[in-house]
Amino acid sequence: MRVELGETPQDRYRHWLHPVCAWAALVLPLLVTLWRASTGTQWRDDMAIVRGLGLVPLGGEGTVSSVVMQLFALLPLGGRLLRASLASALALAVAARLVYALAVRLLDENAWTPRLTPLLAFAAALTTTLSPTWQLEGTIAGGATLAACLVLLGVMLRPDGRVGDARVWLGYGAFIAITSLESHAAGAALLVAIAVQVGVLGETPPRRNVGLLAAGALVTAALCLVPLAVRPFAERSWVHLGFGLSATDISAVDTAAQRPGALASWFREIGMIAVALAAVGGVWGVVRGRTRWLAAPLVALVLADVCFPASRAGVLASDPLASVRLLAVAGLGIGAALGVHTLAVGLGRAKIPFAQPAAALLVVFDFTLVLMTGEDSSYVADRRSQNAAEVWTDEALSALPNRSLILVRSQAVAWRLWAARVVRGERPDLVVVPLPLLDKGSVATSLLTMEPNLAPLIREMSLAGKPNEYSLSVLSDTRPLYVELDPSWDRRLVDHMIPKQLWVAFAPHAVGRSDRVAGRKHGRRAFERVLSAASTPTHQDSATLAVLGARAEEQAFALAALGDRGAVGEILADIKRIDPASPFASELEARMKKHRRGRVDVSGLLE
């Protein structure tokens, strides 16, 4: 491979590789992502499905993705969920093309190499969009790829400060508002990137243009928020959660997510060598005047991920900062391309033997890193075989009698049951009562219209923050009642509980050990089926295992408090199959050994 140097601007031309690589950067990630796209719901996309397909107003985010998902729902192909997933896959493909275009601009400013530039830009696009994080978001409905795509497009479309056309500034302000209403974090990232680029170039727009920009943003935001204000009054608005709820409210519930450091996450995403090359490219791009205007905002996006790291461990809910991680990976991919380009150009100019073959080998090595990244993502992002969430939903819903009422304290479980209703119309007879959301919007009012006997429970939740024996007994007399156990509840409530298939039933009166034994036997088949689907040789579904383990811990907690030690031992064995190092199982075993008879002290076991 030969590196061409020294051409003047008049001599510049686009090599035939440029259009080929540009189209490949769009088509190849799209095909890979569509092949891996989810045909069944996942825990992390439940909230987006309820918001986009159910048209439920949620916190002023997801505006663009909801519209796109509704449009794609009209396509006559595949299932409804697969059509909703197309939005994320197409956004990932467009983002790959934008990464390619940004890389071409940056490499052209670095040195004019008509054959080398499209190849390295193509490698940057693949490194970015085939990475595990991009694939995880691109293969589910309502992923963060659309928000990241809007930010990359905003960086490319930023108008020159000297432009005086009012329509340009009004339009760009509207674009910023749309990006912010899709994801607040993405809107903030776009503003940071624009501010850094304007500061580097010294193109501060006049006050008139800034005013037009703000006016366009405010008017567009007001128009986009009108449906959120009027939707709750529609006849078929089955739930209204208000404006205060967003992904931020549920990102940390259900599982204790360990937030990895940004550097460790980058190493997992694109590899240590690619990160090192990106560091070289980033430093060179900022130091050099010709490339600083484009390298500086990319470096700012990477630093934003350092300051506000997204978490890959949030397995039950989508991370509201996922778009920041996607943009950081994009910046690193472009930076790695700039680093390889700089080294290759330096070798081409060096008066040493075998400089040109060394430059060619460096480019080939860059593509081997791309292949490694794509292979790593295939193990975690291939949704075709990840059906454990669907298995859990089938078993959980099939176990419930007609007209059951479910009290859930886990918002993720509420979203899962609602998503099943939106996508497949499952179990419309059930009433799902999300205890943490009773103060959101008009949830309490809507629930009272479906079940008037919820009034004592809603009153107790408003006054004391937890139910009492009377409120739950009234409900269980009216409907079959199932609950997610809260350790803060009164111990007298435990006497009413019967562990059953993936749930804990609540009886109107205290029950004996024989009733609990019969309930546990019916739940074994469901537990084994879900565990088998979540623990396959090729994939461990952490989200489903977390929910399955949490339910087993609740049952063990209740049975230990009642002194049913034999049943507790069986459940602890199941918990260890899910997590051999479970601290809950170890602590409960220690307490049972300390006091070998009677009820076990379970205080502090569940949080």
Side-chain angles (χ1 to χ4, degrees), residues 56-58 232 237-245 406-408 411 414-415 418 431-452 454-455 457-458 461-462:
V56 175
L58 294 177
S237 179
W238 53 279
V239 64
H240 174 218
L241 299 175
F243 295 95
L245 184 68
I406 312 169
L407 301 183
V408 295
Q411 298 182 33
W415 293 118
W418 284 337
V431 177
V432 180
V433 181
L435 297 180
L437 302 181
L438 283 178
D439 61 337
K440 300 291 184 181
S442 59
V443 173
T445 304
S446 302
L447 289 172
L448 282 174
T449 60
M450 292 185 285
E451 179 50 67
L454 279 168
L457 173 64
I458 294 175
M461 292 297 298
S462 301

Side-chain angles (χ1 to χ4, degrees), residues 43-44 46 250 253-255 313-318 410 412 542-544 546-547:
W43 290 94
R44 292 177 61 250
D46 287 337
I250 66 170
V253 301
D254 301 306
T255 56
V315 293
L316 292 179
S318 59
S410 164
S542 302
T544 304
V547 174

Side-chain angles (χ1 to χ4, degrees), residues 264-399:
S265 298
W266 298 340
F267 287 163
R268 286 198 299 265
E269 295 299 321
I270 62 176
M272 184 181 301
I273 298 176
V275 172
L277 291 171
V280 173
V283 172
W284 175 258
V286 172
V287 169
R288 195 175 187 198
R290 293 178 56 182
T291 57
R292 187 181 303 127
W293 67 278
L294 191 53
L298 297 176
V299 171
L301 293 176
V302 175
L303 293 178
D305 190 34
V306 177
C307 299
F308 305 98
S311 173
R312 289 184 57 194
V315 293
L316 292 179
S318 59
D319 196 312
L321 299 178
S323 57
V324 178
R325 168 58 47 80
L326 298 183
L327 294 170
V329 173
L332 291 171
I334 298 173
L338 179 58
V340 173
H341 189 255
T342 302
L343 294 175
V345 171
L347 287 173
R349 291 173 176 172
K351 304 299 183 181
I352 57 176
F354 305 107
Q356 289 289 344
L361 289 175
L362 181 62
V363 176
V364 173
F365 176 72
D366 188 36
F367 274 92
T368 63
L369 298 178
V370 173
L371 295 176
M372 292 176 60
T373 300
E375 183 181 8
D376 291 341
S377 66
S378 66
Y379 294 108
V380 297
D382 192 350
R383 305 292 188 179
R384 295 170 299 163
S385 59
Q386 299 178 14
N387 62 344
E390 293 285 345
V391 174
W392 185 92
T393 306
D394 292 341
E395 293 294 337
L397 292 178
S398 64

Side-chain angles (χ1 to χ4, degrees), residues 161-194:
R162 294 166 292 185
V163 174
D165 193 337
R167 294 170 297 180
V168 172
W169 293 100
L170 288 172
Y172 196 68
F175 181 85
I176 293 176
I178 290 174
T179 304
S180 301
L181 290 173
E182 173 61 24
S183 169
H184 301 335
L190 177 59
L191 291 176
V192 169
I194 293 172

Side-chain angles (χ1 to χ4, degrees), residues 48 51-53 55 62-75 80-91 141-143 145-147 150 178 182:
R51 177 177 56 203
L53 296 182
L55 291 179
T63 302
V64 181
S65 58
S66 297
V67 173
V68 175
M69 288 167 67
Q70 286 290 324
L71 292 175
F72 282 7
L74 303 176
L75 296 176
R80 194 180 186 195
L81 182 65
L82 181 61
R83 282 174 276 169
S85 302
L86 289 178
S88 299
L90 287 176
T145 54
L146 182 56
L150 291 174
I178 290 174
E182 173 61 24

Side-chain angles (χ1 to χ4, degrees), residues 55-57 63 67 220-233 243:
L55 291 179
V56 175
T63 302
V67 173
T220 303
L223 291 175
C224 291
L225 291 175
V226 167
L228 298 181
V230 301
R231 171 63 180 166
F233 300 101
F243 295 95

Side-chain angles (χ1 to χ4, degrees), residues 9-58:
Q10 292 77 15
D11 298 329
R12 291 187 174 186
Y13 66 96
R14 285 297 179 193
H15 196 271
W16 61 267
L17 281 173
H18 178 68
V20 172
C21 290
W23 278 105
L26 176 70
V27 174
L28 185 59
L30 176 61
L31 294 178
V32 172
T33 308
L34 288 177
W35 176 257
R36 298 172 176 174
S38 176
T39 57
T41 55
Q42 306 291 327
W43 290 94
R44 292 177 61 250
D45 64 2
D46 287 337
M47 182 177 175
I49 289 172
V50 174
R51 177 177 56 203
L53 296 182
L55 291 179
V56 175
L58 294 177

